């Protein structure tokens, strides 16, 4: 069974030398259910919403299995929230999730997978590891952002069920690595009538633009 194993939200804002001056990456597990609305978890903060928030990046999910991979690689614990995630999951392939697929969590909450997490300088400063952005990216385990289709509560132990998956099959991992024109076109053709998230469409346009034949017939 696929489960939410931890629900995390900001513990405190930390000083950061990036453009905002503070960061909300310090996420930590909380007890009990937390309401999830279109811009994310109740009482959570996204300090830099241009890059890390908004409706298409309302919730960040990371898999226990990928965290365990990094724990072995770094020879240290990767506790829930360390990577800035809101949801830690078990039994569901987050990086292998198809962009546009929908997850039912608990009885009410419905989320839609959108784009991979792109590591940044704030993440590197959080980890304090030399060349962390390159090291994280090289492992190909970015985790996924999700948008909120239907608001509802989430708590550790809630089941996660994939209730819908677009036929194109393009995964978060593929988006993270970069689409070739064929996969970009497949994403458009197999979106099953739903318009992909704007950041996904930008990646599609970029990939198809290299061939001089940008197609924008997704509905």
């Amino acid at each position: 069974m696929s489960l939410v194993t931890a629900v995390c939200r900001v513990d405190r804002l930390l000083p950061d030398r990036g453009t905002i001056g503070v960061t909300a990456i310090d996420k930590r597990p909380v007890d009990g259910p937390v309401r999830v609305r279109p811009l994310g978890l109740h009482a959570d903060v996204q300090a830099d919403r241009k890059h890390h928030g908004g409706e298409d990046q309302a919730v960040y999910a990371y898999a226990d299995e990928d965290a365990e991979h990094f724990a072995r690689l770094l020879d240290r614990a990767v506790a829930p929230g360390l990577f800035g995630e809101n949801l830690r999951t078990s039994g569901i392939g987050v990086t292998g999730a198809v962009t546009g697929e929908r997850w039912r969590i608990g009885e009410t909450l419905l989320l839609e997978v959108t784009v991979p997490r792109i590591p940044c300088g704030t993440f590197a400063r959080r980890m304090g590891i030399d060349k962390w952005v390159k090291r994280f990216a090289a492992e190909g385990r970015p985790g996924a952002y999700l948008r909120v289709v239907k608001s509802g509560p989430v708590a550790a132990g809630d089941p996660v069920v994939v209730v819908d998956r677009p036929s194109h099959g393009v995964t978060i991992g593929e988006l993270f690595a970069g689409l070739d024109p064929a996969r970009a076109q497949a994403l458009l053709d197999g979106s099953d009538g739903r318009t992909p998230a704007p950041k996904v469409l930008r990646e599609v346009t970029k990939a198809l633009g290299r061939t001089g034949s940008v197609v924008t017939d997704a509905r």
Side-chain angles (χ1 to χ4, degrees), residues 8-9 13 16 22 24-25 59 77 96 98 112 125 130 148 150 152 156-157 179 181 201 204 216:
C8 308
R9 64 186 176 194
L13 294 176
D16 184 70
V22 295
I25 199 171
V59 177
V98 171
E112 183 177 296
R125 291 187 288 274
D130 188 43
V148 180
K150 185 176 181 181
L179 297 178
L201 284 177
V204 167
T216 56

mmCIF file of all heavy atoms in Angstrom, residues 8-9 13 16 22 24-25 59 77 96 98 112 125 130 148 150 152 156-157 179 181 201 204 216:
data_model
loop_
_atom_site.group_PDB
_atom_site.id
_atom_site.type_symbol
_atom_site.label_atom_id
_atom_site.label_comp_id
_atom_site.label_asym_id
_atom_site.label_seq_id
_atom_site.Cartn_x
_atom_site.Cartn_y
_atom_site.Cartn_z
ATOM 1 N N CYS A 8 4.857 17.636 6.541
ATOM 2 C CA CYS A 8 5.820 18.624 7.019
ATOM 3 C C CYS A 8 5.418 20.032 6.588
ATOM 4 O O CYS A 8 4.936 20.230 5.476
ATOM 5 C CB CYS A 8 7.219 18.315 6.473
ATOM 6 S SG CYS A 8 7.795 16.627 6.756
ATOM 7 N N ARG A 9 5.648 20.971 7.463
ATOM 8 C CA ARG A 9 5.470 22.382 7.100
ATOM 9 C C ARG A 9 6.542 23.192 7.806
ATOM 10 O O ARG A 9 7.285 22.684 8.650
ATOM 11 C CB ARG A 9 4.065 22.872 7.440
ATOM 12 C CG ARG A 9 3.706 22.866 8.894
ATOM 13 C CD ARG A 9 2.235 23.224 9.087
ATOM 14 N NE ARG A 9 1.849 23.119 10.490
ATOM 15 C CZ ARG A 9 0.599 23.108 10.920
ATOM 16 N NH1 ARG A 9 -0.412 23.203 10.046
ATOM 17 N NH2 ARG A 9 0.329 23.022 12.210
ATOM 18 N N LEU A 13 11.335 30.501 9.666
ATOM 19 C CA LEU A 13 12.058 31.094 8.556
ATOM 20 C C LEU A 13 13.524 31.251 8.940
ATOM 21 O O LEU A 13 13.837 31.658 10.056
ATOM 22 C CB LEU A 13 11.468 32.455 8.190
ATOM 23 C CG LEU A 13 10.042 32.460 7.613
ATOM 24 C CD1 LEU A 13 9.581 33.888 7.400
ATOM 25 C CD2 LEU A 13 9.971 31.680 6.318
ATOM 26 N N ASP A 16 18.705 33.804 4.665
ATOM 27 C CA ASP A 16 19.284 33.224 3.459
ATOM 28 C C ASP A 16 19.821 34.354 2.596
ATOM 29 O O ASP A 16 19.181 35.404 2.473
ATOM 30 C CB ASP A 16 18.231 32.417 2.689
ATOM 31 C CG ASP A 16 18.806 31.712 1.485
ATOM 32 O OD1 ASP A 16 19.581 30.756 1.672
ATOM 33 O OD2 ASP A 16 18.487 32.113 0.350
ATOM 34 N N VAL A 22 15.190 35.445 3.179
ATOM 35 C CA VAL A 22 14.825 34.378 4.114
ATOM 36 C C VAL A 22 14.397 33.165 3.302
ATOM 37 O O VAL A 22 14.085 33.269 2.115
ATOM 38 C CB VAL A 22 13.681 34.784 5.077
ATOM 39 C CG1 VAL A 22 14.109 35.908 5.996
ATOM 40 C CG2 VAL A 22 12.427 35.158 4.298
ATOM 41 N N ALA A 24 11.984 29.370 3.636
ATOM 42 C CA ALA A 24 11.050 28.529 4.388
ATOM 43 C C ALA A 24 11.348 27.050 4.162
ATOM 44 O O ALA A 24 10.476 26.203 4.334
ATOM 45 C CB ALA A 24 9.613 28.846 3.977
ATOM 46 N N ILE A 25 12.596 26.732 3.791
ATOM 47 C CA ILE A 25 12.942 25.349 3.487
ATOM 48 C C ILE A 25 12.981 24.464 4.736
ATOM 49 O O ILE A 25 12.947 23.236 4.633
ATOM 50 C CB ILE A 25 14.300 25.289 2.742
ATOM 51 C CG1 ILE A 25 14.451 23.949 2.013
ATOM 52 C CG2 ILE A 25 15.460 25.559 3.685
ATOM 53 C CD1 ILE A 25 15.646 23.882 1.085
ATOM 54 N N VAL A 59 2.345 21.796 -3.351
ATOM 55 C CA VAL A 59 2.769 20.733 -2.437
ATOM 56 C C VAL A 59 3.975 20.038 -3.059
ATOM 57 O O VAL A 59 3.975 19.724 -4.255
ATOM 58 C CB VAL A 59 1.636 19.706 -2.214
ATOM 59 C CG1 VAL A 59 2.096 18.561 -1.322
ATOM 60 C CG2 VAL A 59 0.404 20.388 -1.609
ATOM 61 N N ALA A 77 21.426 10.514 8.057
ATOM 62 C CA ALA A 77 19.968 10.407 7.989
ATOM 63 C C ALA A 77 19.395 11.527 7.120
ATOM 64 O O ALA A 77 19.898 12.660 7.122
ATOM 65 C CB ALA A 77 19.372 10.481 9.393
ATOM 66 N N GLY A 96 8.930 8.575 -10.632
ATOM 67 C CA GLY A 96 8.342 7.826 -11.730
ATOM 68 C C GLY A 96 6.894 8.162 -12.007
ATOM 69 O O GLY A 96 6.276 7.580 -12.910
ATOM 70 N N VAL A 98 3.685 10.049 -13.475
ATOM 71 C CA VAL A 98 3.421 10.687 -14.764
ATOM 72 C C VAL A 98 2.881 12.096 -14.517
ATOM 73 O O VAL A 98 1.969 12.285 -13.705
ATOM 74 C CB VAL A 98 2.408 9.856 -15.573
ATOM 75 C CG1 VAL A 98 1.953 10.601 -16.826
ATOM 76 C CG2 VAL A 98 3.020 8.504 -15.946
ATOM 77 N N GLU A 112 -2.669 16.733 -8.119
ATOM 78 C CA GLU A 112 -2.223 16.407 -9.476
ATOM 79 C C GLU A 112 -0.730 16.683 -9.607
ATOM 80 O O GLU A 112 -0.259 17.784 -9.306
ATOM 81 C CB GLU A 112 -2.991 17.223 -10.509
ATOM 82 C CG GLU A 112 -2.619 16.887 -11.951
ATOM 83 C CD GLU A 112 -3.454 17.661 -12.946
ATOM 84 O OE1 GLU A 112 -4.680 17.449 -12.969
ATOM 85 O OE2 GLU A 112 -2.886 18.493 -13.684
ATOM 86 N N ARG A 125 22.623 25.610 0.277
ATOM 87 C CA ARG A 125 23.007 26.208 1.559
ATOM 88 C C ARG A 125 22.366 25.461 2.724
ATOM 89 O O ARG A 125 22.959 25.331 3.796
ATOM 90 C CB ARG A 125 22.617 27.689 1.564
ATOM 91 C CG ARG A 125 23.459 28.524 0.600
ATOM 92 C CD ARG A 125 23.182 29.998 0.720
ATOM 93 N NE ARG A 125 21.887 30.387 0.171
ATOM 94 C CZ ARG A 125 21.678 30.684 -1.112
ATOM 95 N NH1 ARG A 125 22.660 30.604 -1.994
ATOM 96 N NH2 ARG A 125 20.478 31.063 -1.532
ATOM 97 N N ASP A 130 29.334 20.411 -0.451
ATOM 98 C CA ASP A 130 30.007 20.957 -1.617
ATOM 99 C C ASP A 130 29.381 20.430 -2.907
ATOM 100 O O ASP A 130 29.134 19.221 -3.042
ATOM 101 C CB ASP A 130 31.493 20.571 -1.564
ATOM 102 C CG ASP A 130 32.308 21.258 -2.651
ATOM 103 O OD1 ASP A 130 32.094 22.462 -2.867
ATOM 104 O OD2 ASP A 130 33.145 20.576 -3.278
ATOM 105 N N VAL A 148 -3.322 21.351 -6.201
ATOM 106 C CA VAL A 148 -4.484 20.881 -5.456
ATOM 107 C C VAL A 148 -5.710 20.936 -6.352
ATOM 108 O O VAL A 148 -6.143 22.018 -6.765
ATOM 109 C CB VAL A 148 -4.697 21.722 -4.179
ATOM 110 C CG1 VAL A 148 -5.910 21.223 -3.406
ATOM 111 C CG2 VAL A 148 -3.445 21.692 -3.307
ATOM 112 N N LYS A 150 -8.656 19.175 -5.389
ATOM 113 C CA LYS A 150 -9.724 19.264 -4.402
ATOM 114 C C LYS A 150 -9.098 19.336 -3.023
ATOM 115 O O LYS A 150 -8.310 18.474 -2.649
ATOM 116 C CB LYS A 150 -10.664 18.066 -4.490
ATOM 117 C CG LYS A 150 -11.874 18.162 -3.555
ATOM 118 C CD LYS A 150 -12.826 16.995 -3.751
ATOM 119 C CE LYS A 150 -14.043 17.126 -2.834
ATOM 120 N NZ LYS A 150 -14.981 15.967 -3.009
ATOM 121 N N GLY A 152 -8.532 19.314 1.036
ATOM 122 C CA GLY A 152 -8.887 18.351 2.060
ATOM 123 C C GLY A 152 -7.751 18.195 3.046
ATOM 124 O O GLY A 152 -6.668 18.762 2.875
ATOM 125 N N ALA A 156 -0.190 11.838 8.396
ATOM 126 C CA ALA A 156 0.663 10.667 8.284
ATOM 127 C C ALA A 156 -0.194 9.410 8.436
ATOM 128 O O ALA A 156 -1.066 9.342 9.305
ATOM 129 C CB ALA A 156 1.751 10.706 9.345
ATOM 130 N N GLY A 157 0.056 8.440 7.582
ATOM 131 C CA GLY A 157 -0.717 7.205 7.578
ATOM 132 C C GLY A 157 -1.825 7.169 6.557
ATOM 133 O O GLY A 157 -2.394 6.095 6.300
ATOM 134 N N LEU A 179 13.144 16.775 -22.036
ATOM 135 C CA LEU A 179 12.393 16.056 -23.060
ATOM 136 C C LEU A 179 13.061 16.167 -24.422
ATOM 137 O O LEU A 179 13.573 17.224 -24.784
ATOM 138 C CB LEU A 179 10.975 16.614 -23.163
ATOM 139 C CG LEU A 179 10.070 16.480 -21.936
ATOM 140 C CD1 LEU A 179 8.726 17.141 -22.226
ATOM 141 C CD2 LEU A 179 9.871 15.020 -21.547
ATOM 142 N N PRO A 181 12.156 15.877 -28.627
ATOM 143 C CA PRO A 181 10.946 16.268 -29.360
ATOM 144 C C PRO A 181 9.866 15.195 -29.399
ATOM 145 O O PRO A 181 8.678 15.508 -29.310
ATOM 146 C CB PRO A 181 11.480 16.587 -30.760
ATOM 147 C CG PRO A 181 12.881 17.030 -30.537
ATOM 148 C CD PRO A 181 13.376 16.167 -29.424
ATOM 149 N N LEU A 201 4.261 22.908 -20.140
ATOM 150 C CA LEU A 201 4.114 23.393 -21.513
ATOM 151 C C LEU A 201 5.356 24.145 -21.984
ATOM 152 O O LEU A 201 5.734 24.066 -23.157
ATOM 153 C CB LEU A 201 2.881 24.293 -21.623
ATOM 154 C CG LEU A 201 1.532 23.580 -21.636
ATOM 155 C CD1 LEU A 201 0.402 24.599 -21.678
ATOM 156 C CD2 LEU A 201 1.420 22.610 -22.803
ATOM 157 N N VAL A 204 7.757 21.553 -23.049
ATOM 158 C CA VAL A 204 7.312 20.991 -24.326
ATOM 159 C C VAL A 204 7.676 21.937 -25.470
ATOM 160 O O VAL A 204 8.225 21.524 -26.502
ATOM 161 C CB VAL A 204 5.795 20.729 -24.303
ATOM 162 C CG1 VAL A 204 5.270 20.445 -25.698
ATOM 163 C CG2 VAL A 204 5.469 19.567 -23.367
ATOM 164 N N THR A 216 0.801 23.233 -30.209
ATOM 165 C CA THR A 216 0.123 23.656 -28.993
ATOM 166 C C THR A 216 -1.355 23.335 -29.054
ATOM 167 O O THR A 216 -2.208 24.150 -28.741
ATOM 168 C CB THR A 216 0.302 25.175 -28.781
ATOM 169 O OG1 THR A 216 -0.183 25.860 -29.945
ATOM 170 C CG2 THR A 216 1.753 25.547 -28.555
#
